[in-house]
Amino acid sequence: DAGVTQSPTHLIKTRGQQVTLRCSPKSGHDTVSWYQQALGQGPQFIFQYYEEEERQRGNFPDRFSGHQFPNYSSELNVNALLLGDSALYLCASSRDRTYEQYFGPGTRLTVT
Amino acid sequence: RKEVEQDPGPFNVPEGATVAFNCTYSNSASQSFFWYRQDCRKEPKLLMSVYSSGNEDGRFTAQLNRASQYISLLIRDSKLSDSATYLCVVLASGGSYIPTFGRGTSLIVHP
């Protein structure tokens, strides 16, 4: 049973560029959430996707956008990258309305 | 006041010790609570949900105190492999699904 997968594992970008991160949920899960985790901090909720719609959003600017595909996989896009966007980006999947989430290994983004 | 607060530690304990962490939350309408474990440079993994009546899973016991708005995690007979960061998560009620994580408490179990 494949768990949550994310790609790429590491990424280095320059300020002002755009980035796309990808996530495939655990088998049987239909809900995907994205988090940003800075060093020494807990994960911060970016948004959640269900049925290809953004269902909830945390306190992140519009530079952060996402998408969910019919197969439940998801993308996170970040435009106009800032140095402060450097972090570990985690994807978590769950079944709808259950709150027990399973996390992927994350994508470590460095903005220079 | 932060929505979810944890003592970052580190808690440094010998093998076999009992250790407890608390996590306080500010939203009295919070309904769902969890503990996750995160190893260094790895993803968080669900350790246990926290139920109103308290719950136990082997050496781990989680409790909820609604009156004082905190949850706790007790680890008995600590193992070296318990060394990790323990994150608490709180979800608000009313259909809003915005999970709020604490910054985590670091546990180091030494021989």
Side-chain angles (χ1 to χ4, degrees), chain A residues 33 35 37 40-43 45 48 56-57 90 99-101 103-105 108, chain B residues 32 34 36 38 41 43-44 46 49 87 91 95-99 101-103:
Chain A
S33 302
Y35 293 84
Q37 187 175 24
Q41 302 297 318
F45 179 80
Q48 183 188 71
Q56 294 286 345
R57 188 177 184 94
L90 294 160
Y99 301 124
E100 296 178 352
Q101 298 180 92
F103 283 83
R108 191 163 297 280
Chain B
S32 300
F34 303 89
Y36 280 76
Q38 187 171 27
R41 303 185 75 81
E43 73 273 21
L46 179 65
S49 304
L87 299 157
L91 276 81
S96 169
Y97 180 86
I98 297 188
F101 278 75
R103 64 175 295 185

PDB file of all heavy atoms in Angstrom, chain A residues 33 35 37 40-43 45 48 56-57 90 99-101 103-105 108, chain B residues 32 34 36 38 41 43-44 46 49 87 91 95-99 101-103:
ATOM      1  N   SER A  33      -4.059  18.053   1.875  1.00  0.00           N
ATOM      2  CA  SER A  33      -3.739  19.324   2.524  1.00  0.00           C
ATOM      3  C   SER A  33      -2.263  19.619   2.324  1.00  0.00           C
ATOM      4  O   SER A  33      -1.449  18.699   2.267  1.00  0.00           O
ATOM      5  CB  SER A  33      -4.044  19.254   4.025  1.00  0.00           C
ATOM      6  OG  SER A  33      -5.404  18.927   4.258  1.00  0.00           O
ATOM      7  N   TYR A  35       1.096  21.961   3.721  1.00  0.00           N
ATOM      8  CA  TYR A  35       1.632  22.679   4.871  1.00  0.00           C
ATOM      9  C   TYR A  35       3.014  23.232   4.523  1.00  0.00           C
ATOM     10  O   TYR A  35       3.752  22.641   3.722  1.00  0.00           O
ATOM     11  CB  TYR A  35       1.796  21.734   6.068  1.00  0.00           C
ATOM     12  CG  TYR A  35       0.507  21.218   6.628  1.00  0.00           C
ATOM     13  CD1 TYR A  35      -0.125  20.108   6.070  1.00  0.00           C
ATOM     14  CD2 TYR A  35      -0.076  21.820   7.746  1.00  0.00           C
ATOM     15  CE1 TYR A  35      -1.314  19.628   6.604  1.00  0.00           C
ATOM     16  CE2 TYR A  35      -1.254  21.333   8.288  1.00  0.00           C
ATOM     17  CZ  TYR A  35      -1.861  20.235   7.709  1.00  0.00           C
ATOM     18  OH  TYR A  35      -3.025  19.763   8.240  1.00  0.00           O
ATOM     19  N   GLN A  37       6.531  24.151   6.586  1.00  0.00           N
ATOM     20  CA  GLN A  37       7.197  24.012   7.871  1.00  0.00           C
ATOM     21  C   GLN A  37       8.564  24.673   7.831  1.00  0.00           C
ATOM     22  O   GLN A  37       9.471  24.194   7.155  1.00  0.00           O
ATOM     23  CB  GLN A  37       7.330  22.544   8.285  1.00  0.00           C
ATOM     24  CG  GLN A  37       7.882  22.393   9.700  1.00  0.00           C
ATOM     25  CD  GLN A  37       7.915  20.944  10.184  1.00  0.00           C
ATOM     26  OE1 GLN A  37       7.957  20.003   9.399  1.00  0.00           O
ATOM     27  NE2 GLN A  37       7.882  20.760  11.499  1.00  0.00           N
ATOM     28  N   GLY A  40      12.427  24.536  12.942  1.00  0.00           N
ATOM     29  CA  GLY A  40      12.145  24.768  14.354  1.00  0.00           C
ATOM     30  C   GLY A  40      10.701  25.113  14.669  1.00  0.00           C
ATOM     31  O   GLY A  40      10.376  25.424  15.814  1.00  0.00           O
ATOM     32  N   GLN A  41       9.844  25.065  13.654  1.00  0.00           N
ATOM     33  CA  GLN A  41       8.439  25.392  13.848  1.00  0.00           C
ATOM     34  C   GLN A  41       7.566  24.201  13.488  1.00  0.00           C
ATOM     35  O   GLN A  41       8.011  23.266  12.822  1.00  0.00           O
ATOM     36  CB  GLN A  41       8.046  26.590  12.970  1.00  0.00           C
ATOM     37  CG  GLN A  41       8.861  27.842  13.222  1.00  0.00           C
ATOM     38  CD  GLN A  41       8.666  28.375  14.630  1.00  0.00           C
ATOM     39  OE1 GLN A  41       7.540  28.406  15.147  1.00  0.00           O
ATOM     40  NE2 GLN A  41       9.754  28.790  15.256  1.00  0.00           N
ATOM     41  N   GLY A  42       6.313  24.253  13.920  1.00  0.00           N
ATOM     42  CA  GLY A  42       5.367  23.237  13.496  1.00  0.00           C
ATOM     43  C   GLY A  42       4.859  23.549  12.103  1.00  0.00           C
ATOM     44  O   GLY A  42       4.996  24.673  11.616  1.00  0.00           O
ATOM     45  N   PRO A  43       4.284  22.572  11.426  1.00  0.00           N
ATOM     46  CA  PRO A  43       3.719  22.825  10.101  1.00  0.00           C
ATOM     47  C   PRO A  43       2.598  23.861  10.172  1.00  0.00           C
ATOM     48  O   PRO A  43       1.808  23.863  11.117  1.00  0.00           O
ATOM     49  CB  PRO A  43       3.158  21.457   9.699  1.00  0.00           C
ATOM     50  CG  PRO A  43       3.920  20.472  10.526  1.00  0.00           C
ATOM     51  CD  PRO A  43       4.186  21.161  11.820  1.00  0.00           C
ATOM     52  N   PHE A  45      -0.689  25.334   8.104  1.00  0.00           N
ATOM     53  CA  PHE A  45      -1.674  24.927   7.105  1.00  0.00           C
ATOM     54  C   PHE A  45      -1.767  25.963   5.997  1.00  0.00           C
ATOM     55  O   PHE A  45      -1.999  27.147   6.257  1.00  0.00           O
ATOM     56  CB  PHE A  45      -3.029  24.774   7.806  1.00  0.00           C
ATOM     57  CG  PHE A  45      -4.167  24.380   6.917  1.00  0.00           C
ATOM     58  CD1 PHE A  45      -4.345  23.067   6.535  1.00  0.00           C
ATOM     59  CD2 PHE A  45      -5.078  25.328   6.492  1.00  0.00           C
ATOM     60  CE1 PHE A  45      -5.418  22.695   5.736  1.00  0.00           C
ATOM     61  CE2 PHE A  45      -6.159  24.974   5.698  1.00  0.00           C
ATOM     62  CZ  PHE A  45      -6.327  23.654   5.328  1.00  0.00           C
ATOM     63  N   GLN A  48      -6.468  23.148   1.782  1.00  0.00           N
ATOM     64  CA  GLN A  48      -6.924  21.769   1.622  1.00  0.00           C
ATOM     65  C   GLN A  48      -7.779  21.655   0.375  1.00  0.00           C
ATOM     66  O   GLN A  48      -8.602  22.538   0.077  1.00  0.00           O
ATOM     67  CB  GLN A  48      -7.756  21.336   2.829  1.00  0.00           C
ATOM     68  CG  GLN A  48      -8.193  19.879   2.761  1.00  0.00           C
ATOM     69  CD  GLN A  48      -9.172  19.529   3.864  1.00  0.00           C
ATOM     70  OE1 GLN A  48     -10.322  19.948   3.871  1.00  0.00           O
ATOM     71  NE2 GLN A  48      -8.685  18.758   4.816  1.00  0.00           N
ATOM     72  N   GLN A  56     -10.566  24.711   2.293  1.00  0.00           N
ATOM     73  CA  GLN A  56     -10.163  25.565   3.405  1.00  0.00           C
ATOM     74  C   GLN A  56      -8.828  26.190   3.053  1.00  0.00           C
ATOM     75  O   GLN A  56      -8.029  25.598   2.325  1.00  0.00           O
ATOM     76  CB  GLN A  56      -9.998  24.766   4.703  1.00  0.00           C
ATOM     77  CG  GLN A  56     -11.265  24.162   5.265  1.00  0.00           C
ATOM     78  CD  GLN A  56     -12.163  25.194   5.885  1.00  0.00           C
ATOM     79  OE1 GLN A  56     -11.754  26.326   6.150  1.00  0.00           O
ATOM     80  NE2 GLN A  56     -13.417  24.831   6.119  1.00  0.00           N
ATOM     81  N   ARG A  57      -8.577  27.368   3.611  1.00  0.00           N
ATOM     82  CA  ARG A  57      -7.315  28.037   3.336  1.00  0.00           C
ATOM     83  C   ARG A  57      -6.794  28.666   4.618  1.00  0.00           C
ATOM     84  O   ARG A  57      -7.565  29.251   5.382  1.00  0.00           O
ATOM     85  CB  ARG A  57      -7.506  29.124   2.271  1.00  0.00           C
ATOM     86  CG  ARG A  57      -6.195  29.732   1.807  1.00  0.00           C
ATOM     87  CD  ARG A  57      -6.423  30.759   0.705  1.00  0.00           C
ATOM     88  NE  ARG A  57      -5.147  31.264   0.220  1.00  0.00           N
ATOM     89  CZ  ARG A  57      -4.504  30.763  -0.821  1.00  0.00           C
ATOM     90  NH1 ARG A  57      -5.018  29.777  -1.513  1.00  0.00           N
ATOM     91  NH2 ARG A  57      -3.331  31.268  -1.204  1.00  0.00           N
ATOM     92  N   LEU A  90       5.045  20.186   3.062  1.00  0.00           N
ATOM     93  CA  LEU A  90       4.484  18.863   3.345  1.00  0.00           C
ATOM     94  C   LEU A  90       3.093  18.742   2.758  1.00  0.00           C
ATOM     95  O   LEU A  90       2.288  19.671   2.825  1.00  0.00           O
ATOM     96  CB  LEU A  90       4.413  18.656   4.864  1.00  0.00           C
ATOM     97  CG  LEU A  90       5.742  18.570   5.597  1.00  0.00           C
ATOM     98  CD1 LEU A  90       5.552  18.868   7.081  1.00  0.00           C
ATOM     99  CD2 LEU A  90       6.367  17.198   5.414  1.00  0.00           C
ATOM    100  N   TYR A  99     -10.049  13.331  10.312  1.00  0.00           N
ATOM    101  CA  TYR A  99      -9.002  14.304  10.536  1.00  0.00           C
ATOM    102  C   TYR A  99      -7.650  13.676  10.816  1.00  0.00           C
ATOM    103  O   TYR A  99      -6.714  14.371  11.170  1.00  0.00           O
ATOM    104  CB  TYR A  99      -9.418  15.226  11.684  1.00  0.00           C
ATOM    105  CG  TYR A  99     -10.716  15.946  11.372  1.00  0.00           C
ATOM    106  CD1 TYR A  99     -11.806  15.850  12.215  1.00  0.00           C
ATOM    107  CD2 TYR A  99     -10.848  16.691  10.212  1.00  0.00           C
ATOM    108  CE1 TYR A  99     -12.995  16.495  11.921  1.00  0.00           C
ATOM    109  CE2 TYR A  99     -12.029  17.338   9.905  1.00  0.00           C
ATOM    110  CZ  TYR A  99     -13.096  17.243  10.766  1.00  0.00           C
ATOM    111  OH  TYR A  99     -14.269  17.887  10.469  1.00  0.00           O
ATOM    112  N   GLU A 100      -7.543  12.378  10.633  1.00  0.00           N
ATOM    113  CA  GLU A 100      -6.264  11.711  10.809  1.00  0.00           C
ATOM    114  C   GLU A 100      -5.525  11.756   9.487  1.00  0.00           C
ATOM    115  O   GLU A 100      -5.959  11.169   8.494  1.00  0.00           O
ATOM    116  CB  GLU A 100      -6.482  10.279  11.271  1.00  0.00           C
ATOM    117  CG  GLU A 100      -7.137  10.232  12.655  1.00  0.00           C
ATOM    118  CD  GLU A 100      -7.414   8.814  13.119  1.00  0.00           C
ATOM    119  OE1 GLU A 100      -7.246   7.879  12.313  1.00  0.00           O
ATOM    120  OE2 GLU A 100      -7.791   8.654  14.282  1.00  0.00           O
ATOM    121  N   GLN A 101      -4.449  12.501   9.481  1.00  0.00           N
ATOM    122  CA  GLN A 101      -3.726  12.752   8.239  1.00  0.00           C
ATOM    123  C   GLN A 101      -2.440  11.944   8.158  1.00  0.00           C
ATOM    124  O   GLN A 101      -1.797  11.701   9.178  1.00  0.00           O
ATOM    125  CB  GLN A 101      -3.376  14.235   8.136  1.00  0.00           C
ATOM    126  CG  GLN A 101      -4.572  15.136   8.100  1.00  0.00           C
ATOM    127  CD  GLN A 101      -4.134  16.586   7.998  1.00  0.00           C
ATOM    128  OE1 GLN A 101      -4.007  17.134   6.915  1.00  0.00           O
ATOM    129  NE2 GLN A 101      -3.886  17.192   9.122  1.00  0.00           N
ATOM    130  N   PHE A 103       1.233  12.071   6.244  1.00  0.00           N
ATOM    131  CA  PHE A 103       2.098  13.028   5.570  1.00  0.00           C
ATOM    132  C   PHE A 103       3.055  12.351   4.598  1.00  0.00           C
ATOM    133  O   PHE A 103       3.511  11.219   4.827  1.00  0.00           O
ATOM    134  CB  PHE A 103       2.932  13.800   6.596  1.00  0.00           C
ATOM    135  CG  PHE A 103       2.174  14.874   7.313  1.00  0.00           C
ATOM    136  CD1 PHE A 103       1.383  14.578   8.406  1.00  0.00           C
ATOM    137  CD2 PHE A 103       2.248  16.194   6.886  1.00  0.00           C
ATOM    138  CE1 PHE A 103       0.671  15.573   9.064  1.00  0.00           C
ATOM    139  CE2 PHE A 103       1.541  17.194   7.532  1.00  0.00           C
ATOM    140  CZ  PHE A 103       0.757  16.883   8.625  1.00  0.00           C
ATOM    141  N   GLY A 104       3.367  13.065   3.540  1.00  0.00           N
ATOM    142  CA  GLY A 104       4.438  12.656   2.643  1.00  0.00           C
ATOM    143  C   GLY A 104       5.775  13.118   3.202  1.00  0.00           C
ATOM    144  O   GLY A 104       5.819  13.855   4.199  1.00  0.00           O
ATOM    145  N   PRO A 105       6.870  12.724   2.543  1.00  0.00           N
ATOM    146  CA  PRO A 105       8.210  13.046   3.043  1.00  0.00           C
ATOM    147  C   PRO A 105       8.593  14.515   2.885  1.00  0.00           C
ATOM    148  O   PRO A 105       9.567  14.970   3.471  1.00  0.00           O
ATOM    149  CB  PRO A 105       9.129  12.153   2.214  1.00  0.00           C
ATOM    150  CG  PRO A 105       8.352  11.895   0.969  1.00  0.00           C
ATOM    151  CD  PRO A 105       6.924  11.862   1.357  1.00  0.00           C
ATOM    152  N   ARG A 108      11.855  19.947   0.138  1.00  0.00           N
ATOM    153  CA  ARG A 108      12.624  21.028   0.792  1.00  0.00           C
ATOM    154  C   ARG A 108      12.963  22.076  -0.258  1.00  0.00           C
ATOM    155  O   ARG A 108      13.712  21.797  -1.201  1.00  0.00           O
ATOM    156  CB  ARG A 108      13.884  20.472   1.437  1.00  0.00           C
ATOM    157  CG  ARG A 108      14.574  21.476   2.359  1.00  0.00           C
ATOM    158  CD  ARG A 108      15.553  20.792   3.295  1.00  0.00           C
ATOM    159  NE  ARG A 108      14.935  19.851   4.199  1.00  0.00           N
ATOM    160  CZ  ARG A 108      14.302  20.178   5.320  1.00  0.00           C
ATOM    161  NH1 ARG A 108      14.209  21.451   5.681  1.00  0.00           N
ATOM    162  NH2 ARG A 108      13.798  19.232   6.105  1.00  0.00           N
TER     163      ARG A 108
ATOM    164  N   SER B  32     -11.220  18.670  17.999  1.00  0.00           N
ATOM    165  CA  SER B  32     -10.418  17.488  17.679  1.00  0.00           C
ATOM    166  C   SER B  32      -8.957  17.758  18.011  1.00  0.00           C
ATOM    167  O   SER B  32      -8.451  18.850  17.745  1.00  0.00           O
ATOM    168  CB  SER B  32     -10.552  17.130  16.199  1.00  0.00           C
ATOM    169  OG  SER B  32     -11.890  16.847  15.884  1.00  0.00           O
ATOM    170  N   PHE B  34      -4.871  15.898  18.376  1.00  0.00           N
ATOM    171  CA  PHE B  34      -3.998  14.797  17.978  1.00  0.00           C
ATOM    172  C   PHE B  34      -2.588  15.048  18.472  1.00  0.00           C
ATOM    173  O   PHE B  34      -2.174  16.193  18.663  1.00  0.00           O
ATOM    174  CB  PHE B  34      -3.946  14.671  16.445  1.00  0.00           C
ATOM    175  CG  PHE B  34      -5.291  14.488  15.799  1.00  0.00           C
ATOM    176  CD1 PHE B  34      -6.042  15.576  15.422  1.00  0.00           C
ATOM    177  CD2 PHE B  34      -5.794  13.215  15.592  1.00  0.00           C
ATOM    178  CE1 PHE B  34      -7.290  15.416  14.841  1.00  0.00           C
ATOM    179  CE2 PHE B  34      -7.043  13.040  15.008  1.00  0.00           C
ATOM    180  CZ  PHE B  34      -7.782  14.141  14.641  1.00  0.00           C
ATOM    181  N   TYR B  36       1.269  14.078  17.070  1.00  0.00           N
ATOM    182  CA  TYR B  36       2.101  13.546  15.995  1.00  0.00           C
ATOM    183  C   TYR B  36       3.531  13.476  16.503  1.00  0.00           C
ATOM    184  O   TYR B  36       3.946  14.237  17.371  1.00  0.00           O
ATOM    185  CB  TYR B  36       2.062  14.463  14.757  1.00  0.00           C
ATOM    186  CG  TYR B  36       0.845  14.299  13.894  1.00  0.00           C
ATOM    187  CD1 TYR B  36      -0.379  14.833  14.284  1.00  0.00           C
ATOM    188  CD2 TYR B  36       0.911  13.614  12.683  1.00  0.00           C
ATOM    189  CE1 TYR B  36      -1.506  14.687  13.484  1.00  0.00           C
ATOM    190  CE2 TYR B  36      -0.204  13.466  11.877  1.00  0.00           C
ATOM    191  CZ  TYR B  36      -1.410  14.006  12.288  1.00  0.00           C
ATOM    192  OH  TYR B  36      -2.520  13.859  11.493  1.00  0.00           O
ATOM    193  N   GLN B  38       7.547  13.585  15.080  1.00  0.00           N
ATOM    194  CA  GLN B  38       8.357  13.940  13.915  1.00  0.00           C
ATOM    195  C   GLN B  38       9.830  13.701  14.242  1.00  0.00           C
ATOM    196  O   GLN B  38      10.385  14.319  15.154  1.00  0.00           O
ATOM    197  CB  GLN B  38       8.143  15.400  13.508  1.00  0.00           C
ATOM    198  CG  GLN B  38       8.850  15.754  12.202  1.00  0.00           C
ATOM    199  CD  GLN B  38       8.462  17.137  11.687  1.00  0.00           C
ATOM    200  OE1 GLN B  38       8.084  18.033  12.438  1.00  0.00           O
ATOM    201  NE2 GLN B  38       8.550  17.326  10.369  1.00  0.00           N
ATOM    202  N   ARG B  41      14.266  15.807  10.366  1.00  0.00           N
ATOM    203  CA  ARG B  41      14.265  15.906   8.909  1.00  0.00           C
ATOM    204  C   ARG B  41      13.352  14.867   8.239  1.00  0.00           C
ATOM    205  O   ARG B  41      13.574  14.489   7.085  1.00  0.00           O
ATOM    206  CB  ARG B  41      15.684  15.824   8.353  1.00  0.00           C
ATOM    207  CG  ARG B  41      16.595  16.893   8.918  1.00  0.00           C
ATOM    208  CD  ARG B  41      17.957  16.880   8.262  1.00  0.00           C
ATOM    209  NE  ARG B  41      17.923  17.437   6.917  1.00  0.00           N
ATOM    210  CZ  ARG B  41      17.943  18.727   6.631  1.00  0.00           C
ATOM    211  NH1 ARG B  41      17.961  19.613   7.596  1.00  0.00           N
ATOM    212  NH2 ARG B  41      17.936  19.144   5.373  1.00  0.00           N
ATOM    213  N   GLU B  43       8.960  13.475   7.951  1.00  0.00           N
ATOM    214  CA  GLU B  43       7.610  13.986   8.020  1.00  0.00           C
ATOM    215  C   GLU B  43       6.954  13.630   9.352  1.00  0.00           C
ATOM    216  O   GLU B  43       7.325  12.652   9.994  1.00  0.00           O
ATOM    217  CB  GLU B  43       6.761  13.418   6.862  1.00  0.00           C
ATOM    218  CG  GLU B  43       6.374  11.955   6.983  1.00  0.00           C
ATOM    219  CD  GLU B  43       7.409  11.020   6.416  1.00  0.00           C
ATOM    220  OE1 GLU B  43       8.601  11.412   6.275  1.00  0.00           O
ATOM    221  OE2 GLU B  43       7.037   9.867   6.115  1.00  0.00           O
ATOM    222  N   PRO B  44       5.961  14.410   9.768  1.00  0.00           N
ATOM    223  CA  PRO B  44       5.203  14.043  10.981  1.00  0.00           C
ATOM    224  C   PRO B  44       4.432  12.757  10.759  1.00  0.00           C
ATOM    225  O   PRO B  44       3.934  12.501   9.656  1.00  0.00           O
ATOM    226  CB  PRO B  44       4.235  15.225  11.162  1.00  0.00           C
ATOM    227  CG  PRO B  44       4.790  16.332  10.339  1.00  0.00           C
ATOM    228  CD  PRO B  44       5.502  15.685   9.199  1.00  0.00           C
ATOM    229  N   LEU B  46       1.312  10.342  12.580  1.00  0.00           N
ATOM    230  CA  LEU B  46       0.258  10.335  13.584  1.00  0.00           C
ATOM    231  C   LEU B  46       0.603   9.358  14.692  1.00  0.00           C
ATOM    232  O   LEU B  46       0.853   8.173  14.444  1.00  0.00           O
ATOM    233  CB  LEU B  46      -1.074   9.951  12.935  1.00  0.00           C
ATOM    234  CG  LEU B  46      -2.273   9.889  13.866  1.00  0.00           C
ATOM    235  CD1 LEU B  46      -2.579  11.276  14.427  1.00  0.00           C
ATOM    236  CD2 LEU B  46      -3.481   9.336  13.126  1.00  0.00           C
ATOM    237  N   SER B  49      -4.845   9.947  18.369  1.00  0.00           N
ATOM    238  CA  SER B  49      -5.899  10.934  18.558  1.00  0.00           C
ATOM    239  C   SER B  49      -6.102  11.105  20.059  1.00  0.00           C
ATOM    240  O   SER B  49      -5.730  10.227  20.845  1.00  0.00           O
ATOM    241  CB  SER B  49      -7.192  10.463  17.923  1.00  0.00           C
ATOM    242  OG  SER B  49      -7.000  10.162  16.560  1.00  0.00           O
ATOM    243  N   LEU B  87       4.482  16.795  18.281  1.00  0.00           N
ATOM    244  CA  LEU B  87       3.658  17.928  17.853  1.00  0.00           C
ATOM    245  C   LEU B  87       2.208  17.704  18.260  1.00  0.00           C
ATOM    246  O   LEU B  87       1.670  16.624  18.022  1.00  0.00           O
ATOM    247  CB  LEU B  87       3.700  18.060  16.328  1.00  0.00           C
ATOM    248  CG  LEU B  87       5.062  18.309  15.682  1.00  0.00           C
ATOM    249  CD1 LEU B  87       5.044  17.863  14.227  1.00  0.00           C
ATOM    250  CD2 LEU B  87       5.414  19.778  15.753  1.00  0.00           C
ATOM    251  N   LEU B  91      -7.935  21.180  16.144  1.00  0.00           N
ATOM    252  CA  LEU B  91      -8.850  21.597  15.083  1.00  0.00           C
ATOM    253  C   LEU B  91     -10.047  22.290  15.688  1.00  0.00           C
ATOM    254  O   LEU B  91     -10.617  21.828  16.673  1.00  0.00           O
ATOM    255  CB  LEU B  91      -9.349  20.396  14.281  1.00  0.00           C
ATOM    256  CG  LEU B  91      -8.449  19.911  13.164  1.00  0.00           C
ATOM    257  CD1 LEU B  91      -7.348  19.036  13.703  1.00  0.00           C
ATOM    258  CD2 LEU B  91      -9.266  19.150  12.133  1.00  0.00           C
ATOM    259  N   GLY B  95     -17.265  23.039  11.491  1.00  0.00           N
ATOM    260  CA  GLY B  95     -17.037  22.766  10.077  1.00  0.00           C
ATOM    261  C   GLY B  95     -15.758  23.347   9.547  1.00  0.00           C
ATOM    262  O   GLY B  95     -15.339  23.029   8.438  1.00  0.00           O
ATOM    263  N   SER B  96     -15.123  24.198  10.308  1.00  0.00           N
ATOM    264  CA  SER B  96     -13.852  24.763   9.850  1.00  0.00           C
ATOM    265  C   SER B  96     -12.753  23.749  10.055  1.00  0.00           C
ATOM    266  O   SER B  96     -12.589  23.208  11.130  1.00  0.00           O
ATOM    267  CB  SER B  96     -13.546  26.030  10.647  1.00  0.00           C
ATOM    268  OG  SER B  96     -12.215  26.446  10.410  1.00  0.00           O
ATOM    269  N   TYR B  97     -12.063  23.463   9.000  1.00  0.00           N
ATOM    270  CA  TYR B  97     -10.997  22.479   9.104  1.00  0.00           C
ATOM    271  C   TYR B  97      -9.680  23.182   8.870  1.00  0.00           C
ATOM    272  O   TYR B  97      -9.150  23.176   7.767  1.00  0.00           O
ATOM    273  CB  TYR B  97     -11.215  21.385   8.058  1.00  0.00           C
ATOM    274  CG  TYR B  97     -10.155  20.312   8.102  1.00  0.00           C
ATOM    275  CD1 TYR B  97     -10.284  19.236   8.967  1.00  0.00           C
ATOM    276  CD2 TYR B  97      -9.058  20.384   7.281  1.00  0.00           C
ATOM    277  CE1 TYR B  97      -9.311  18.262   9.003  1.00  0.00           C
ATOM    278  CE2 TYR B  97      -8.084  19.407   7.305  1.00  0.00           C
ATOM    279  CZ  TYR B  97      -8.216  18.347   8.172  1.00  0.00           C
ATOM    280  OH  TYR B  97      -7.253  17.374   8.203  1.00  0.00           O
ATOM    281  N   ILE B  98      -9.194  23.844   9.875  1.00  0.00           N
ATOM    282  CA  ILE B  98      -7.876  24.451   9.802  1.00  0.00           C
ATOM    283  C   ILE B  98      -7.089  23.913  10.977  1.00  0.00           C
ATOM    284  O   ILE B  98      -7.197  24.425  12.092  1.00  0.00           O
ATOM    285  CB  ILE B  98      -7.948  25.987   9.811  1.00  0.00           C
ATOM    286  CG1 ILE B  98      -8.695  26.456   8.569  1.00  0.00           C
ATOM    287  CG2 ILE B  98      -6.548  26.577   9.873  1.00  0.00           C
ATOM    288  CD1 ILE B  98      -8.689  27.945   8.327  1.00  0.00           C
ATOM    289  N   PRO B  99      -6.329  22.837  10.727  1.00  0.00           N
ATOM    290  CA  PRO B  99      -5.549  22.253  11.811  1.00  0.00           C
ATOM    291  C   PRO B  99      -4.399  23.174  12.203  1.00  0.00           C
ATOM    292  O   PRO B  99      -3.682  23.664  11.340  1.00  0.00           O
ATOM    293  CB  PRO B  99      -5.044  20.944  11.211  1.00  0.00           C
ATOM    294  CG  PRO B  99      -5.198  21.077   9.748  1.00  0.00           C
ATOM    295  CD  PRO B  99      -6.131  22.185   9.447  1.00  0.00           C
ATOM    296  N   PHE B 101      -0.992  23.432  14.333  1.00  0.00           N
ATOM    297  CA  PHE B 101       0.066  22.671  14.976  1.00  0.00           C
ATOM    298  C   PHE B 101       0.790  23.537  15.991  1.00  0.00           C
ATOM    299  O   PHE B 101       0.995  24.743  15.769  1.00  0.00           O
ATOM    300  CB  PHE B 101       1.109  22.224  13.941  1.00  0.00           C
ATOM    301  CG  PHE B 101       0.747  20.999  13.166  1.00  0.00           C
ATOM    302  CD1 PHE B 101      -0.200  21.040  12.168  1.00  0.00           C
ATOM    303  CD2 PHE B 101       1.374  19.790  13.432  1.00  0.00           C
ATOM    304  CE1 PHE B 101      -0.526  19.899  11.439  1.00  0.00           C
ATOM    305  CE2 PHE B 101       1.066  18.648  12.710  1.00  0.00           C
ATOM    306  CZ  PHE B 101       0.112  18.707  11.711  1.00  0.00           C
ATOM    307  N   GLY B 102       1.199  22.910  17.085  1.00  0.00           N
ATOM    308  CA  GLY B 102       2.155  23.564  17.959  1.00  0.00           C
ATOM    309  C   GLY B 102       3.540  23.479  17.332  1.00  0.00           C
ATOM    310  O   GLY B 102       3.735  22.787  16.322  1.00  0.00           O
ATOM    311  N   ARG B 103       4.502  24.146  17.923  1.00  0.00           N
ATOM    312  CA  ARG B 103       5.852  24.125  17.368  1.00  0.00           C
ATOM    313  C   ARG B 103       6.603  22.846  17.731  1.00  0.00           C
ATOM    314  O   ARG B 103       7.675  22.588  17.187  1.00  0.00           O
ATOM    315  CB  ARG B 103       6.650  25.351  17.813  1.00  0.00           C
ATOM    316  CG  ARG B 103       6.914  25.437  19.282  1.00  0.00           C
ATOM    317  CD  ARG B 103       7.804  26.615  19.629  1.00  0.00           C
ATOM    318  NE  ARG B 103       9.150  26.453  19.057  1.00  0.00           N
ATOM    319  CZ  ARG B 103      10.150  27.276  19.281  1.00  0.00           C
ATOM    320  NH1 ARG B 103       9.968  28.338  20.030  1.00  0.00           N
ATOM    321  NH2 ARG B 103      11.330  27.083  18.736  1.00  0.00           N
TER     322      ARG B 103
END
